[in-house]
Amino acid sequence: MTTNQRPGAVQIPEPLILQDLTLSLCSSGITKTLFKKFDLEIQPGEITTIMGPSGCGKSSLLSFISGTLAKDFNAVGRVCLGQRDITSSPPEQRHIGMLFQEDLLFPHLSVGENLGFGIPAAVRQKNQRKMLIEEALEEAGLSGYADQDPATLSGGQRARVAVMRTLLSRPSALLLDEPFSKLDSALRERFRTFIFEHARAHNLPTLLVTHDPEDARSAEGLILNMPFK
Amino acid sequence: MAEALRPVVFLLSSRQNMARLSIITDCLSLKYVPAFTLLVFLGPLAAGLIGTILPAFGYFPALGSKDFSLLSWEHLIEHPALPEALYLTLLSGFIATALSLGLAIAFTAAWQGSPSFNRVRKLLAPILAIPHSALAIGFAFLLAPSGWLARLFSPGLTGWDTPPDIAIIHDPFAVSLILGLVIKETPYLLLMIIAASDQGQARQRLVLAQTLGYSPVAAWIKAVLPLIYRQIRLPIYAVLAFSLSVVDVALILGPTTPPTLPVLILRWFNDPDLSYRALASTAAAFQLVIVILSILAWYLLEQLVAQILCGWLSNGQRSFAEQTIRFFSRSFFQLLGSIFCGSLLVIVLWSFTRRWRYPDALPSEWSIQSWHSNLDTLLLSGCTTLITGIISALIAITLSVACLENEKRRGKTAGSGALWLLYLPLMVPQVSFLFGTQVIAIKLGIDGSWLALIWSHLLFVLPYVFLSLADPYRYQDERFVNIAHCLGASPWRAFWKIRLPLLLRPLLFALAIGFAVSVAQYLPTLFAGGGRFMTLTTEAVNLSASGNRRIISVYALLQGLFPLLVFSAAIGFSNFIFRHRRALSQP
Amino acid sequence: MNVIRRKLGFIALAAGLFWGGAISISLAEEPDWQEITAKAEGQTLYWNAWGGSEKINDYIAWVGQQLDQQYSIRLTHVKVTDTADVVSRVLAEKTAGKDQNGSVDLVWINGENFASMKQHHLLFGPFTTSLPNYRYVDTEGKATTTVDFTIPVEGFEAPWGMAKFNFIYDSARISQAPSSLQELSEWSENHPGRFTYPAPPDYLGSTFLKQALIDITSENNALRSPLASQTQFDETTKPLWQFLDQLHPTLWRSGKQFPVSSSAQQQLLDDGEVDIHLSFNPGAASALIESGELPATVRTFTFKDGTIGNTHFVAIPYNSSHREAAMVAANFLMSPEAQARKQDPRYWGDDTVLAIDKLSAEDRSIFEAIELGIATLAPQDLGPTLLEPHPTWMEKIEREWLKRYGQ
């Protein structure tokens, strides 16, 4: 608490570390192990890609890291951000941003309110929150869209809002669960660049899950194939 | 001083610890909600049953009887009215249920997917919102020998200068009672069938069967019905139990000499001679046995039909009385629809009537006097209805949401065992436990209080609210809440800001259903209210004996209007809130 | 209003001059009437009275206005659906030891309820003889003002109105109305399905049974005392059941179904399903024409040998919180002013409890000016008043009826 941590200050980037991870699914008494004793370290600004067929546990891995794993999974191992062990922290205290295939913009909130939901409550002043929203919209090329209904936006626009919402929540790491797979190829490439640029600019350790080799290549980082040996 | 404070400071400085602590307390308090709900809900039921069964076996200290005996059972068996009353009860209960089920199935099989089916589907909620008793009153005004129908065609077509001396309403064969029940139960079962076919693979199965060359009716009955029957089984049992135990509709439409068993029981309970209470309790216990046996009989009948139809299902026959079923189901639905509309319309007409003599087709003199002169009582009973309905619906929603949220957080759904428990107050005849409940309320000193009134309504409101909320809640896309967590929202912030607003529509719908159920309660108001509370329904049912059609109509109309207004308000409000949110603007 | 008040002042003055001696005697033992009215001033009076009729509620509201203007008493009409509830409420208060400040100040009562309240000492009194207006009551001509369903009143309830059993018929369908039970059953035989009576325990249905029993049985005296034994009951009522067994097949729905209440039967008459309805109020037919509930062709008939009549009263519970106001109200209800309005079919249409010949010429003229209405019989055509049987008989008859025909 001694550091002068102004609201809105960028946190010191730290690596995302996974240690000794074992994940199994228990349903109706049968336990199926998805992977065992998995280790991984992603440095700030680095994008690691995991590839694999559906049902191999990629998404579950992301859920485990973010702390939103469904109750019928059984997980052992540690998740750390630098020195900080967040394995047993509730999701809202992990500061791990997550993006899905669907944008998952809250349908009952406006575009601006969606972005505002991401800004930490520590940013108290209304003006400041408003400014952050405006800046984010501008960065996404959507200036003046604050009061719009998200349902009226195009797929690409919504995807960019979702990214900005995640970044506004000041994550310490970023998890991408096939965020491009719903976009057509032209849009896909532009959006990929948009996300990767922002992840690097914010110096975030980033983990991408995909089954598209093109995505993996353009991430320009470590590529792992599931199921792990 | 500083030393002493250190643990506290440590605890406070560690935000993570704090958060953990609050999560633990959150989960703990939520954890007890299901148990609490069941207690609130099954406690009075169990206590009520005991309070009814003990006097049935001679234990009735208030009347100076403490020895267990079968004396009142002998009295019951020997009672001259019993055989006929029992016969009428079983007759009306089984026929009404079978007819409603058959109609709902035939109509869905023949017309699902068609524009008219979708129109009917949209009308189901408002139809269900109107209390049984209001409809029954209109039904009687429409079809009685001096009813509107007879007036429209007399004396011109019928030659009846005076109304014919035939018992159409209160007929000794319970035909009008059965019809009155079918009008309300068919839409209910239809709604249940639709809800069941929206889940699971009903749609795929139908398409598959049709691509194999089955005609629509045969495809639905052979491929879809066996799948969804399991899901609508509980609602069917509830309908059967309701038809066997109904009091208000039977009072208005049922046979009178003798009446059906539940009406007879109520008559004995209300007898000024207190010694009749023992007989009433015995009969109430007997009624419970009858309902249990009837459900069992229905179950066996199901098995039998399944056995018989087993071969038929796979005999490869591609069509099945297609035209007949289409024609009859539509005609019958049109008939029911016309009776429904006519019943409502005739209530409206009577409430504004001053003079309307047989055989005039319309009132000869109009007046708002019936409304005007009853304004005080209308306001009073209307307020009681409103307050009880809203509060019990809100409590039911709070409890349901707490239970469902607990399920979500603990990651389990209640099994079918719990579902049975939810239906229990709907299956157990009201007369069988309300008397016992009243005794408990008097013992607790809450007899005739708002607490007792709302609690007793809650017993019937909660199941319906829970059932209507459970599916939307359980099937809500969990990722919205997860992403809120990832964006730094605490469980409660995610709950209030994301989960509930997204569920606004089902929540308001559940509120309207809960309200409608509360408005319709007759016996619970009578028993728990200790006669101190009058609602539009108690007034309407009590007045229905009075024969003053003008005043009955005013009450029946308001009684039907209240739930309808709440339904429209619920729909209107969610439409207004989401008017700029396209993804949520249509249900 | 001023005119009425001045008139009332005159009446009081005249009465005072005339009855001065008598009053001073009674004042020696009773508290001074003036003291009572003085104490009553400013009290709020809770009057539990049946609230099922709009007309009657309006009348009671008028009483409230008068009490406020004349005595500064604020009246609250506690609308009751069944007077038995009031009895159990006072009983509950007594059980709970609430012997003062009870919730009921005045109750509209008669018959069984009076019998049970009197028997359980739940009433204040005797008080009626100390009310100044009681002297106008026709205690000689109207025996039911002192004997309520065979129970002696003994000053525990103040008479308020007369009820007399009669029939309402549609003159458009019946030219010659029956004038005895025998004629009624003959008429029904000739016009099957056009007569019925409400199923007991509806009070008009029960009264029809009592009326029939009194007309048929030769043992009218036995009916005045409590029912002694089952054998007595069987013997006395045997001809009644024979009569009903014969009558029922000629009734509406062949006697297999009965109207659930008297108001249901009124609707049947209006719908033309039956031609005869029962009533306890000689002015009812006119009043129902007036309110549009029955056609203008309905008229009244009664039996020439007489029909059952009774009186309804007001009584004061033993634990009433505003006893003085209750007494003032009871007194006002017996005043010529209130009684005349009560007899007027525009306001209620009940026969008065007062003896017209005891009134001053001016008061008499108010009564004489009342238009009884086209369907109301003149007092002299109402026939003799027969007394109600003892309540124990009624209970048993109702049960027996239900056993034989009700199920």
Side-chain angles (χ1 to χ4, degrees):
Chain A
M1 287 296 166
T2 46
T3 46
N4 182 15
Q5 205 174 25
R6 280 185 301 112
V10 178
Q11 285 172 358
I12 301 150
E14 283 174 308
L16 172 67
I17 303 160
L18 310 180
Q19 287 175 347
D20 238 7
L21 232 57
T22 300
L23 194 67
S24 47
L25 173 65
C26 331
S27 66
S28 35
I30 302 158
T31 306
K32 182 190 169 199
T33 304
L34 296 167
F35 51 80
K36 259 186 193 161
K37 303 216 173 255
F38 171 63
D39 288 292
L40 181 68
E41 183 166 341
I42 309 170
Q43 292 304 319
E46 204 178 85
I47 303 169
T48 300
T49 307
I50 293 179
M51 292 191 60
S54 41
C56 68
K58 333 188 272 289
S59 296
S60 310
L61 172 63
L62 296 195
S63 300
F64 177 66
I65 299 171
S66 68
T68 57
L69 194 62
K71 297 285 193 283
D72 36 9
F73 283 96
N74 210 339
V76 190
R78 271 157 44 102
V79 182
C80 301
L81 277 167
Q83 298 300 310
R84 206 151 51 90
D85 183 351
I86 57 168
T87 318
S88 50
S89 302
E92 66 271 19
Q93 283 159 23
R94 295 189 181 199
H95 302 286
I96 290 185
M98 188 136 177
L99 287 166
F100 293 94
Q101 223 174 73
E102 282 93 11
D103 51 72
L104 293 180
L105 293 182
F106 302 127
H108 61 297
L109 301 178
S110 69
V111 172
E113 286 164 347
N114 261 288
L115 292 171
F117 193 91
I119 303 173
V123 185
R124 287 227 178 81
Q125 279 171 326
K126 258 193 166 168
N127 280 340
Q128 209 182 346
R129 294 182 74 89
K130 209 172 159 193
M131 216 175 66
L132 285 171
I133 294 172
E134 284 304 323
E135 278 173 16
L137 283 171
E138 204 170 316
E139 231 171 297
L142 291 164
S143 293
Y145 276 64
D147 294 329
Q148 290 268 335
D149 175 5
T152 59
L153 266 52
S154 73
Q157 289 172 324
R158 292 164 57 95
R160 293 205 294 279
V161 175
V163 174
M164 295 322 294
R165 181 175 69 176
T166 306
L167 292 175
L168 278 174
S169 73
R170 311 241 164 77
S172 308
L174 192 59
L175 306 178
L176 307 173
D177 191 353
E178 309 208 29
F180 321 115
S181 59
K182 279 241 169 136
L183 302 172
D184 60 52
S185 56
L187 208 58
R188 189 184 181 109
E189 205 180 311
R190 252 195 298 156
F191 184 56
R192 206 153 52 197
T193 323
F194 181 82
I195 291 191
F196 292 162
E197 270 175 7
H198 276 88
R200 290 200 184 96
H202 285 79
N203 230 344
L204 295 172
T206 301
L207 180 57
L208 168 69
V209 155
T210 183
H211 57 256
D212 181 359
E214 190 58 34
D215 289 347
R217 257 196 303 282
S218 56
E220 297 171 348
L222 181 66
I223 300 176
L224 298 165
N225 280 302
M226 273 184 108
F228 305 129
K229 298 289 148 17
Chain B
M1 197 60 174
E3 286 297 307
L5 278 177
R6 184 169 289 164
V8 182
V9 172
F10 169 75
L11 205 64
L12 286 179
S13 65
S14 159
R15 286 184 61 209
Q16 205 160 340
N17 273 351
M18 273 275 287
R20 251 180 231 174
L21 203 72
S22 78
I23 288 164
I24 291 167
T25 53
D26 282 353
C27 284
L28 272 181
S29 53
L30 263 185
K31 195 172 106 184
Y32 293 117
V33 171
F36 174 74
T37 307
L38 284 180
L39 195 73
V40 159
F41 174 80
L42 298 176
L45 183 74
L49 279 176
I50 293 169
T52 306
I53 290 170
L54 284 181
F57 289 99
Y59 184 79
F60 209 153
L63 294 180
S65 149
K66 280 190 171 173
D67 300 320
F68 284 86
S69 79
L70 292 174
L71 197 68
S72 54
W73 285 91
E74 280 169 31
H75 286 180
L76 178 69
I77 305 292
E78 285 164 9
H79 200 283
L82 186 72
E84 181 75 11
L86 182 60
Y87 164 74
L88 285 169
T89 307
L90 291 174
L91 181 85
S92 56
F94 272 90
I95 294 188
T97 310
L99 206 58
S100 309
L101 179 63
L103 264 174
I105 287 176
F107 190 71
T108 316
W111 297 99
Q112 60 99 22
S114 74
S116 56
F117 188 81
N118 290 332
R119 260 200 309 278
V120 168
R121 183 185 178 148
K122 273 187 194 142
L123 287 173
L124 286 179
I127 291 176
L128 287 172
I130 294 174
H132 280 84
S133 41
L135 262 187
I137 287 168
F139 182 88
F141 289 0
L142 185 68
L143 295 179
S146 58
W148 196 21
L149 212 60
R151 287 166 196 240
L152 281 175
F153 299 109
S154 294
L157 283 175
T158 59
W160 295 334
D161 289 323
T162 57
D165 189 7
I166 332 161
I168 298 178
I169 303 303
H170 298 302
D171 64 287
F173 312 105
V175 175
S176 58
L177 172 60
I178 289 170
L179 265 180
L181 289 172
V182 168
I183 292 182
K184 271 287 288 208
E185 285 167 358
T186 310
Y188 174 70
L189 288 175
L190 194 57
L191 193 72
M192 290 298 126
I193 289 177
I194 291 172
S197 15
D198 280 352
Q199 299 163 23
Q201 327 133 340
R203 182 87 215 131
Q204 291 99 300
R205 279 201 184 202
L206 185 71
V207 173
L208 186 75
Q210 280 178 302
T211 53
L212 288 174
Y214 281 84
S215 68
V217 175
W220 198 86
I221 291 182
K222 287 187 168 183
V224 181
L225 184 60
L227 175 78
I228 64 166
Y229 189 85
R230 245 170 299 161
Q231 279 161 280
I232 60 168
R233 181 179 274 153
L234 282 179
I236 293 172
Y237 293 169
V239 164
L240 179 65
F242 177 85
S243 311
L244 289 167
S245 342
V246 66
V247 169
D248 47 5
V249 182
L251 276 174
I252 298 165
L253 298 177
T256 53
T257 45
T260 55
L261 191 58
V263 175
L264 204 59
I265 296 172
L266 185 66
R267 209 187 261 177
W268 290 338
F269 266 128
N270 289 341
D271 200 289
D273 183 349
L274 292 178
S275 62
Y276 266 67
R277 294 289 167 98
L279 182 64
S281 294
T282 312
F286 181 64
Q287 166 83 13
L288 178 62
V289 175
I290 292 298
V291 168
I292 292 172
L293 287 180
S294 298
I295 291 178
L296 203 67
W298 188 278
Y299 175 77
L300 292 176
L301 221 63
E302 271 171 17
Q303 302 304 312
L304 192 71
V305 172
Q307 284 294 319
I308 293 170
L309 291 189
C310 207
W312 178 78
L313 283 180
S314 54
N315 69 358
Q317 213 177 317
R318 290 319 198 241
S319 74
F320 170 63
E322 212 74 10
Q323 291 311 317
T324 329
I325 289 185
R326 283 166 92 81
F327 175 76
F328 277 111
S329 64
R330 192 179 58 186
S331 318
F332 223 95
F333 250 75
Q334 282 168 342
L335 180 71
L336 287 188
S338 320
I339 294 180
F340 179 80
C341 297
S343 302
L344 290 188
L345 201 60
V346 73
I347 294 179
V348 177
L349 287 180
W350 269 109
S351 79
F352 290 105
T353 292
R354 189 180 135 80
R355 289 289 304 141
W356 187 2
R357 266 222 107 181
Y358 183 90
D360 295 345
L362 282 174
S364 56
E365 288 173 54
W366 301 83
S367 147
I368 57 159
Q369 203 196 347
S370 311
W371 289 90
H372 185 75
S373 56
N374 287 290
L375 214 56
D376 283 352
T377 333
L378 281 175
L379 278 176
L380 193 68
S381 52
C383 281
T384 312
T385 308
L386 205 65
I387 292 170
T388 318
I390 296 282
I391 292 184
S392 51
L394 283 177
I395 295 176
I397 285 185
T398 312
L399 288 176
S400 305
V401 166
C403 287
L404 289 162
E405 181 65 17
N406 178 59
E407 242 179 59
K408 283 268 186 192
R409 291 194 190 176
R410 292 162 59 82
K412 306 184 232 184
T413 54
S416 58
L419 217 87
W420 260 103
L421 290 178
L422 277 173
Y423 264 101
L424 216 52
L426 310 185
M427 303 255 190
V428 179
Q430 291 191 346
V431 277
S432 300
F433 72 97
L434 280 174
F435 172 68
T437 314
Q438 189 186 25
V439 174
I440 308 294
I442 294 172
K443 285 251 161 76
L444 291 175
I446 58 167
D447 172 49
S449 68
W450 281 99
L451 180 64
L453 182 69
I454 289 170
W455 197 343
S456 68
H457 276 218
L458 204 56
L459 295 185
F460 307 97
V461 171
L462 190 60
Y464 285 106
V465 166
F466 188 88
L467 292 173
S468 79
L469 210 51
D471 280 350
Y473 212 105
R474 285 176 181 155
Y475 296 118
Q476 189 184 33
D477 191 344
E478 212 42 35
R479 292 177 308 171
F480 280 119
V481 173
N482 281 342
I483 205 134
H485 289 321
C486 292
L487 291 169
S490 68
W492 286 115
R493 184 170 144 83
F495 174 75
W496 287 110
K497 297 276 178 178
I498 306 299
R499 166 113 57 217
L500 285 193
L502 284 178
L503 285 170
L504 183 69
R505 200 176 281 278
L507 280 170
L508 287 173
F509 195 72
L511 181 78
I513 287 183
F515 182 78
V517 171
S518 164
V519 169
Q521 295 308 314
Y522 172 67
L523 278 187
T525 317
L526 218 57
F527 274 88
R532 303 267 168 85
F533 291 95
M534 32 175 209
T535 63
L536 292 170
T537 298
T538 58
E539 288 301 283
V541 176
N542 290 341
L543 280 168
S544 72
S546 85
N548 188 338
R549 294 200 176 127
R550 301 160 190 80
I551 294 174
I552 300 170
S553 297
V554 168
Y555 282 96
L557 190 58
L558 270 191
Q559 189 205 2
L561 222 53
F562 263 48
L564 268 188
L565 284 180
V566 171
F567 258 98
S568 329
I571 292 168
F573 183 71
S574 34
N575 283 345
F576 174 77
I577 290 288
F578 294 139
R579 68 197 180 285
H580 300 312
R581 299 285 175 263
R582 217 171 56 192
L584 297 167
S585 64
Q586 282 309 313
Chain C
M1 277 299 123
N2 269 336
V3 180
I4 295 176
R5 222 185 268 181
R6 230 180 292 138
K7 208 183 277 176
L8 211 88
F10 172 76
I11 295 166
L13 190 72
L17 284 174
F18 202 78
W19 293 90
I23 287 175
S24 63
I25 294 166
S26 65
L27 284 189
E29 33 197 57
E30 306 284 342
D32 191 343
W33 180 247
Q34 280 194 329
E35 205 176 289
I36 291 172
T37 48
K39 266 194 180 172
E41 205 174 294
Q43 290 187 344
T44 301
L45 176 69
Y46 289 91
W47 182 8
N48 294 43
W50 184 67
S53 153
E54 217 179 294
K55 245 184 168 154
I56 295 173
N57 293 345
D58 289 347
Y59 178 83
I60 291 176
W62 171 82
V63 171
Q65 285 166 13
Q66 296 305 312
L67 288 177
D68 190 21
Q69 282 169 13
Q70 299 179 19
Y71 303 99
S72 302
I73 292 172
R74 287 163 44 92
L75 172 69
T76 305
H77 177 190
V78 182
K79 289 177 183 149
V80 177
T81 43
D82 186 352
T83 308
D85 295 344
V86 183
V87 181
S88 35
R89 170 177 276 222
V90 177
L91 185 66
E93 287 177 358
K94 186 170 186 178
T95 316
K98 200 175 181 188
D99 292 332
Q100 270 161 356
N101 296 324
S103 59
V104 184
D105 293 326
L106 189 68
V107 55
W108 180 7
I109 199 167
N110 77 345
E112 292 165 299
N113 293 316
F114 172 69
S116 98
M117 284 191 93
K118 192 178 172 222
Q119 187 196 341
H120 293 101
H121 305 290
L122 296 174
L123 292 177
F124 161 72
F127 73 98
T128 51
T129 43
S130 64
L131 304 178
N133 285 329
Y134 188 72
R135 70 178 75 98
Y136 302 127
V137 174
D138 189 1
T139 45
E140 299 85 36
K142 293 169 180 166
T144 54
T145 56
T146 55
V147 183
D148 184 5
F149 282 62
T150 70
I151 311 290
V153 171
E154 290 169 341
F156 281 93
E157 50 179 359
W160 184 31
M162 300 293 295
K164 192 159 184 303
F165 188 55
N166 60 73
F167 299 85
I168 298 175
Y169 70 104
D170 192 344
S171 63
R173 297 186 211 281
I174 303 180
S175 45
Q176 183 66 46
S179 65
S180 67
L181 188 67
Q182 192 52 40
E183 281 183 41
L184 179 63
S185 78
E186 278 162 19
W187 180 88
S188 186
E189 215 166 300
N190 296 330
H191 302 82
R194 306 302 298 170
F195 174 62
T196 187
Y197 59 94
D202 177 89
Y203 76 109
L204 279 173
S206 302
T207 307
F208 177 75
L209 297 184
K210 287 187 269 186
Q211 177 72 42
L213 179 61
I214 291 173
D215 281 354
I216 292 166
T217 186
S218 48
E219 299 180 52
N220 258 324
N221 281 333
L223 299 179
R224 302 275 154 71
S225 26
L227 177 61
S229 66
Q230 182 67 36
T231 356
Q232 186 199 17
F233 179 80
D234 290 341
E235 277 169 21
T236 316
T237 57
K238 197 175 167 205
L240 175 68
W241 309 121
Q242 284 170 348
F243 169 76
L244 292 178
D245 286 341
Q246 225 167 25
L247 176 71
H248 281 182
T250 71
L251 296 184
W252 178 76
R253 305 278 189 267
S254 309
K256 293 213 167 69
Q257 198 184 337
F258 291 86
V260 283
S261 70
S262 38
S263 12
Q265 182 158 354
Q266 179 186 313
Q267 187 67 51
L268 291 179
L269 175 63
D270 191 32
D271 289 337
E273 289 207 31
V274 297
D275 294 333
I276 296 175
H277 174 42
L278 319 177
S279 162
F280 230 133
N281 173 350
S286 300
L288 290 167
I289 296 175
E290 184 83 21
S291 67
E293 287 171 73
L294 284 182
T297 48
V298 297
R299 296 291 180 269
T300 309
F301 76 85
T302 147
F303 295 160
K304 57 181 186 296
D305 292 337
T307 52
I308 289 180
N310 64 41
T311 302
H312 49 258
F313 301 81
V314 289
I316 304 174
Y318 83 107
N319 62 351
S320 152
S321 333
H322 308 101
R323 191 175 287 172
E324 292 79 16
M327 288 171 75
V328 171
N331 186 54
F332 175 75
L333 293 175
M334 291 187 298
S335 68
E337 180 192 13
Q339 286 285 310
R341 189 180 175 97
K342 195 162 181 285
Q343 186 155 23
D344 192 329
R346 285 176 300 166
Y347 304 115
W348 188 331
D350 240 6
D351 199 18
T352 181
V353 295
L354 305 183
I356 305 293
D357 53 4
K358 284 187 186 171
L359 301 179
S360 68
E362 195 165 345
D363 285 335
R364 238 186 339 244
S365 67
I366 308 180
F367 277 94
E368 277 153 11
I370 295 171
E371 287 204 27
L372 289 181
I374 187 161
T376 311
L377 295 173
Q380 63 271 17
D381 297 330
L382 273 175
T385 299
L386 306 177
L387 290 179
E388 294 269 3
H390 192 272
T392 46
W393 284 88
M394 200 55 248
E395 250 170 65
K396 187 84 177 133
I397 290 174
E398 282 171 1
R399 288 229 173 288
E400 187 65 26
W401 188 92
L402 276 177
K403 210 158 98 190
R404 282 169 185 261
Y405 311 112
Q407 38 205 216

